[in-house]
């Protein structure tokens, strides 16, 4: 976690200062500015949307919740199928037509959000790093590498580095690949408790023969390269890596922090799905809720009531997903294969809300015709008790 240091104060220069010009911060800025609030976003990098470090896979349902139309400019691909590949190389195919999944051009998406925020009246300063923040009785004093400024409230949307629960962060790598032969236009999920570990690997197809491959819990390197080469070759996919990135995934769950003049949102607050680390929608909506509450918060001098609003949107579901992720960790490759067989046999369909509300799928499995009894014979009792406790 990056610590915010204390510093002396000076005159007020915005009503709401937002640290971080990515999905959570820009969503907060857009909504608060539309309410007539004087908002300034302070972004460390020299370009909004860059460097890009995200898979970009989201649901259209989520995009709608963020109030952004799914235009060609921000979308790279529409996903209609996927496969889960297990450690014994068996693969399970899923029809995802009803799941409403799309792949974002994350760079363009962030720029579009910035444009919407600016049109709503927000100011954006790029290439400026927040180095310290001090909460005062009347406001917040912010020191950047260029100046000292102050605001009545601050929204911290500065990403995973500010997430307080260090054990809830895992390393990840993601490579951009140019596919030479056998481009697969669906999502691939790789599960292998020995070679990949307690998280999973992914393949996300972009447009024109490009894809992103990566894994959580791994930093890349030769072993990972070998794993992906052989797993993708088994599916007839041959490629060259053309870009590599490393970044942290937030999987520790939403950290509730109500009240006060400084409110964390997005990855900084753990507003990601602990099952997949996806946080574009859950963090973006977290930012938008903060923006909506800002008028009230300016009057009261604190963000009291935020957690209740976020819980109603995603917070409760994210808490359920902490349990789902724990149960997934308890299962070995054989048990996971048993589960996949069950899900396949039951023909359980994934619809649009399921991508952000994973617990819905588990509920469907548990309440399916033979689901509950079959599941009991596949996974340990402790795990089944935890799952049942969710509903
Ligand atoms: C490899 C990888 C793949 C992913 N794939 C997906 C996916 O497919 N789908 C999905 O939904 N999610 C995915 N995610 C998660 C998603 O990228 C994040 O949840 C989302 O970007 C979080 O948005 P945010 O605004 O909270 O933080 P970030 O996007 O991390 O933005 C934080 C911003 O704050 C700025 N900043 C940091 N420190 C300072 C400072 N001191 N001063 C000023 N500015 C600062 C940064 O420059 C950055 O612009 C992935 C993440 C990774 C790492």
């Amino acid at each position: 976690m990056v610590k915010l240091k204390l510093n002396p104060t000076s005159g007020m220069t915005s009503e709401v200062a937002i640290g971080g010009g990515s999905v959570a911060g820009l969503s907060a800025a857009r909504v608060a500015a539309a309410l007539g609030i004087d908002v300034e976003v302070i972004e460390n990098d020299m370009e909004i949307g860059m460097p890009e470090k995200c898979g970009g896979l989201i649901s259209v349902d989520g995009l709608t919740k963020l109030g952004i139309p799914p235009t060609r400019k921000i979308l790279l691909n529409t996903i209609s199928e996927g496969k889960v590949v297990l450690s014994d190389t068996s693969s399970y195919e899923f029809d995802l037509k009803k799941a409403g999944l799309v792949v974002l051009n994350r760079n363009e998406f962030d720029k579009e959000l910035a444009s919407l925020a600016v049109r709503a009246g927000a100011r954006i300063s790029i290439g400026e790093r927040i180095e310290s923040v001090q909460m005062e009785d009347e406001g917040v004093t912010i020191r950047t590498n260029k100046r000292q400024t102050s605001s009545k409230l601050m929204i911290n949307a500065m990403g995973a580095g500010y997430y307080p629960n260090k054990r809830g962060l895992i390393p990840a790598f993601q490579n951009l690949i140019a596919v030479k032969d056998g481009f697969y236009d669906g999502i691939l999920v790789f599960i292998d408790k020995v070679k990949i570990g307690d998280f999973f690997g992914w393949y996300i197809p972009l447009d024109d023969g490009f894809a992103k491959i990566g894994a959580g819990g791994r930093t890349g390197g030769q072993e990972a390269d070998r794993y992906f080469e052989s797993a993708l070759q088994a599916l007839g996919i041959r490629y060259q890596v053309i870009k590599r990135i490393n970044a942290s995934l937030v999987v520790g769950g939403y950290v509730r922090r109500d009240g006060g003049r400084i409110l964390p949102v997005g990855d900084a607050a753990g507003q990601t799905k602990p099952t997949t680390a996806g946080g574009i929608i859950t963090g973006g909506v977290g930012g938008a809720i903060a923006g909506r509450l800002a008028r009230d918060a300016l009057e009261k001098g604190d963000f009291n009531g935020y957690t209740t609003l976020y819980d109603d949107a995603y917070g409760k579901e994210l808490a359920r997903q902490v349990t789902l992720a724990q149960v997934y960790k308890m299962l070995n490759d054989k048990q996971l294969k048993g589960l996949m067989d069950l899900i396949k046999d039951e023909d359980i369909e994934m619809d649009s809300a399921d991508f952000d509300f994973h617990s819905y799928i588990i509920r469907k499995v548990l309440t399916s015709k033979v689901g509950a009894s079959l599941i009991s014979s596949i996974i340990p009792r402790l795990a089944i008790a935890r799952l049942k406790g969710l509903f």
Side-chain angles (χ1 to χ4, degrees), residues 19-25 42-45 53-58 106 110 128-131 157-160 162 172-174 202 204 245 247-249 265-268 271-273 277-281 283:
S22 180
V23 59
I42 302 173
E43 166 56 44
N44 177 50
D45 286 324
K53 55 172 178 52
C54 177
L57 183 66
I58 57 155
R106 190 58 213 271
D110 283 17
E128 192 168 346
R129 178 167 186 79
I130 295 179
E131 290 179 338
M158 296 189 282
Y162 294 81
F173 75 92
Q174 184 168 260
W202 60 85
I204 300 174
I245 59 125
S248 294
L249 299 177
V265 297
D267 275 19
Q271 292 175 339
T272 58
K273 295 178 275 184
I280 298 173
I281 301 303

Side-chain angles (χ1 to χ4, degrees), residues 8 21 32 49 107 112 157 208 210 232 241-242 246 312 343 351 353 363:
N107 168 21
E112 176 69 13
D208 296 336
F210 293 99
L232 290 180
V241 174
I242 57 170
N246 284 101
D312 288 346
I343 292 174
D351 61 41
R363 188 162 29 194

Side-chain angles (χ1 to χ4, degrees), residues 38-92:
D38 176 31
V39 183
E40 181 180 15
V41 177
I42 302 173
E43 166 56 44
N44 177 50
D45 286 324
M46 292 300 281
E47 182 178 344
I48 297 290
M50 296 298 269
E52 209 192 287
K53 55 172 178 52
C54 177
L57 183 66
I58 57 155
S59 65
V60 177
D61 185 58
L63 208 52
T64 310
K65 285 194 177 122
L66 269 186
I68 301 183
T71 56
R72 288 180 66 153
K73 193 169 143 203
I74 61 162
L75 295 190
L76 289 175
N77 205 353
T78 302
I79 303 299
S80 54
E81 61 178 75
K83 286 179 192 167
V84 175
V85 181
L86 299 185
S87 58
D88 62 358
T89 70
S90 57
S91 68
Y92 295 75

Side-chain angles (χ1 to χ4, degrees), residues 172-232:
F173 75 92
Q174 184 168 260
N175 299 338
L176 178 65
I177 59 170
V179 179
K180 192 175 168 203
D181 299 308
F183 181 75
Y184 175 60
D185 203 15
I187 297 295
L188 296 171
V189 172
F190 298 95
I191 293 178
D192 188 321
K193 287 296 182 110
V194 178
K195 291 187 183 149
I196 293 189
D198 277 333
F199 208 68
F200 61 88
W202 60 85
Y203 164 104
I204 300 174
L206 315 180
D207 50 359
D208 296 336
F210 293 99
K212 287 176 177 172
I213 56 173
R218 292 278 180 270
T219 49
Q222 287 181 356
E223 213 181 306
D225 280 350
R226 272 198 297 275
Y227 172 82
F228 272 100
E229 254 163 52
S230 94
L232 290 180

Side-chain angles (χ1 to χ4, degrees), residues 118-132:
V118 167
R119 277 183 273 160
R123 287 174 285 141
I124 299 178
S125 301
I126 57 163
E128 192 168 346
R129 178 167 186 79
I130 295 179
E131 290 179 338
S132 66

Side-chain angles (χ1 to χ4, degrees), residues 140-153:
V140 179
T141 302
I142 298 164
R143 209 178 62 176
T144 76
N145 56 339
K146 295 188 174 162
R147 64 185 159 134
Q148 180 166 298
T149 181
S150 61
S151 60
K152 288 187 183 147
L153 302 170

